[in-house]
Amino acid sequence: MPERPAPLSVSPALDPCVHCGFCLPACPTYLATGEEADSPRGRIVLMRALAQGELAPDDPAVTEHLDHCLGCRGCEPACPSGVEYGRGLEATRAWLAEQNGIPLRARIVLRVFRHRWLWRPLLTAARWARNVGLARALSGKGRIGFSFASLAATRRPGAVPGH
């Protein structure tokens, strides 16, 4: 019989959520995708389902939508109920890493960001891709489309919106 995962406890941080939707316009990933599962309240549903054992920790949909979250916590000040979304997300991500390990791609990214000489050229290339419109052109295409959509949604300092 397979070993049952240790329980996830996110309830105290997420309990106040009443799914009102005030968080939606404050969430950059929801604004980029329009997907309910990529919104704070959609992710709260996923985190609660994980905590209640309704979803498996290795469910690809769960990790996809939780990984899309930037962790900016922009939803927290918008929440009239005082949901501590960031605390719930941190606990869930730690629990998922404990259950599933850290994927190779994530380990590579973390290693790159340990060394300034590696990440500075990558960020320079990302700014260039955004400024010349390449990020917008590639957004929504294939596996990396979400990343390009997120990059295209940023603005360089002093830029006029929509230009």
Side-chain angles (χ1 to χ4, degrees):
M1 187 169 189
E3 187 178 318
R4 189 169 180 89
L8 167 64
S9 176
V10 293
S11 205
L14 305 179
D15 275 349
C17 182
V18 295
H19 305 285
C20 66
F22 282 108
C23 58
L24 300 180
C27 178
T29 53
Y30 175 75
L31 294 175
T33 66
E35 296 277 335
E36 178 69 21
D38 284 332
S39 73
R41 72 179 180 186
R43 292 185 187 108
I44 286 172
V45 169
L46 293 173
M47 289 186 272
R48 285 177 174 165
L50 279 170
Q52 294 166 358
E54 297 168 4
L55 289 174
D58 60 353
D59 185 321
V62 170
T63 53
E64 173 190 350
H65 296 297
L66 292 178
D67 286 351
H68 281 177
C69 179
L70 302 174
C72 69
R73 297 184 182 203
C75 54
E76 288 184 354
C79 179
S81 300
V83 173
E84 295 180 88
Y85 175 81
R87 269 191 45 218
L89 181 66
E90 287 171 4
T92 303
R93 283 180 169 168
W95 182 80
L96 286 170
E98 207 174 272
Q99 301 305 310
N100 302 328
I102 299 173
L104 176 62
R105 198 173 349 169
R107 289 194 313 266
I108 291 169
V109 169
L110 291 171
R111 286 217 169 102
V112 165
F113 279 97
R114 280 188 195 159
H115 307 286
R116 177 176 276 206
W117 62 272
L118 282 172
W119 61 259
R120 294 279 302 206
L122 292 173
L123 292 179
T124 300
R127 279 192 302 275
W128 175 83
R130 180 198 56 206
N131 294 345
V132 300
L134 184 61
R136 185 172 313 282
L138 295 175
S139 64
K141 297 193 174 35
R143 294 181 64 108
I144 61 170
F146 178 81
S147 300
F148 280 110
S150 296
L151 179 61
T154 64
R155 290 192 325 225
R156 62 185 184 274
V160 177
H163 289 80

